[in-house]
Amino acid sequence: MAEQKIALVTGASAGFGRAITRRLAHDGYKVIATARRQDKLEQLAQELSGNVYPVVMDMADSKEIEKTLQNLPAEWQEIDVLVNNAGLALGVDPIPNISLSDWDQMIQTNVIGLIHLTQLTISGMLKREKGHVLSLGSIAGTYPYPGGNVYGATKAFIAQFMLNLKTDLLGTSIRVTNIEPGLCGGTEFSEVRLQDPQKAKAVYDGTTPLTAEDIAETVSWIVGLPSHVNINRIEMMPVCQAPAGVAVARKIN
């Protein structure tokens, strides 16, 4: 019987992370589920009894990330799949009106926490000569839009980081993938970003967006491919969305 593989999923208390945790557990993985909200993690662990190890971890705290990995029980330390899902967007104000603390928090969580966790996890993968690192990027890293500023920049960083990571790992068996979704509903993303439930709901009015389950299905497909196949990056949009045209500001005399 094949040894049960271990996945680590960040931001597992809701949205993409929760759906990915459920799907990987269904696929036969043992999942280390990390997030800041202990109650949500414990509910998920109870639901998926025996297949989930819940860990409270803040991706904005690099020292906590390192301590968490060091303190994993021996039977949970050999991570085969890392899913860098945790991240956030804060605000949609243009640059003159932005909050620098919001920018700092997005960079600390979306970029610094992600690269620190990735580096620490890859060390073990290299020793075992196997592994797969997936990150949740965004089409915001490719297509700019008003108010996207630093959030889009963090996702552009992730896209380039993952391509460079794959290059650094050339000659090893470790796989590297960036998943770049477009409009996705059924998560807390817009509520966190806008801090207004009505405005968050309006983002999806009249649309059929992607769902967290769509993202989880994609993750399941990617990690389930033969070990010689690497998906570098995959861009996903709902049918109701398309890349925007180049904007032009016009003055009317």
Side-chain angles (χ1 to χ4, degrees):
M1 185 176 178
E3 185 178 352
Q4 193 172 18
K5 291 184 177 181
I6 297 173
L8 190 157
V9 179
T10 64
S13 61
F16 294 173
R18 182 171 58 191
I20 292 167
T21 297
R22 285 173 172 158
R23 181 54 194 257
L24 291 179
H26 178 268
D27 289 347
Y29 282 81
K30 292 165 56 179
V31 184
I32 303 164
T34 79
R36 291 179 297 173
R37 293 178 288 186
Q38 185 173 359
D39 58 333
K40 299 287 187 181
L41 290 175
E42 289 177 350
Q43 289 172 13
L44 190 59
Q46 186 174 8
E47 173 192 334
L48 304 169
S49 57
N51 288 316
V52 170
Y53 182 73
V55 181
V56 175
M57 184 176 79
D58 185 354
M59 286 296 292
D61 188 334
S62 295
K63 290 183 178 178
E64 187 173 305
I65 292 170
E66 185 173 5
K67 184 179 178 181
T68 296
L69 290 183
Q70 290 173 346
N71 291 337
L72 288 173
E75 65 271 23
W76 289 89
Q77 287 185 358
E78 296 190 355
I79 297 166
D80 298 284
V81 174
L82 169 63
V83 182
N84 285 315
N85 165 70
L88 76 167
L90 296 171
V92 290
D93 289 335
I95 283 178
N97 305 322
I98 56 86
S99 161
L100 282 174
S101 64
D102 285 351
W103 278 14
D104 290 346
Q105 187 176 352
M106 285 187 282
I107 293 169
Q108 185 66 45
T109 303
N110 299 2
V111 173
I112 297 174
L114 181 147
I115 63 176
H116 285 192
L117 177 60
T118 300
Q119 194 275 337
L120 292 167
T121 305
I122 277 183
S123 298
M125 291 181 179
L126 286 169
K127 290 177 184 177
R128 296 186 299 276
E129 298 184 351
K130 62 177 182 176
H132 197 154
V133 179
L134 300 94
S135 291
L136 267 296
S138 169
I139 64 167
T142 303
Y143 309 109
Y145 59 86
N149 43 65
V150 162
Y151 172 70
T154 65
K155 295 302 183 177
F157 175 94
I158 292 169
Q160 192 63 31
F161 172 68
M162 296 297 282
L163 290 173
N164 281 315
L165 184 61
K166 180 66 179 72
T167 303
D168 283 351
L169 293 168
L170 185 64
T172 76
S173 59
I174 298 173
R175 299 191 286 175
V176 179
T177 303
N178 193 40
I179 302 172
E180 303 171 4
L183 185 69
C184 289
T187 75
E188 299 176 347
F189 177 83
S190 291
E191 291 181 9
V192 171
R193 184 175 206 173
L194 302 174
Q195 297 294 303
D196 183 320
Q198 293 305 312
K199 288 182 179 179
K201 182 177 180 296
V203 171
Y204 309 100
D205 284 348
T207 73
T208 303
L210 298 175
T211 68
E213 287 71 29
D214 294 330
I215 307 306
E217 177 72 19
T218 304
V219 170
S220 175
W221 171 71
I222 290 170
V223 300
L225 288 169
S227 60
H228 69 282
V229 179
N230 190 87
I231 304 298
N232 294 330
R233 61 195 301 181
I234 185 165
E235 181 181 290
M236 304 171 61
M237 291 183 185
V239 173
C240 64
Q241 188 176 35
V246 177
V248 177
R250 302 182 187 277
K251 294 182 178 180
I252 306 298
N253 292 329

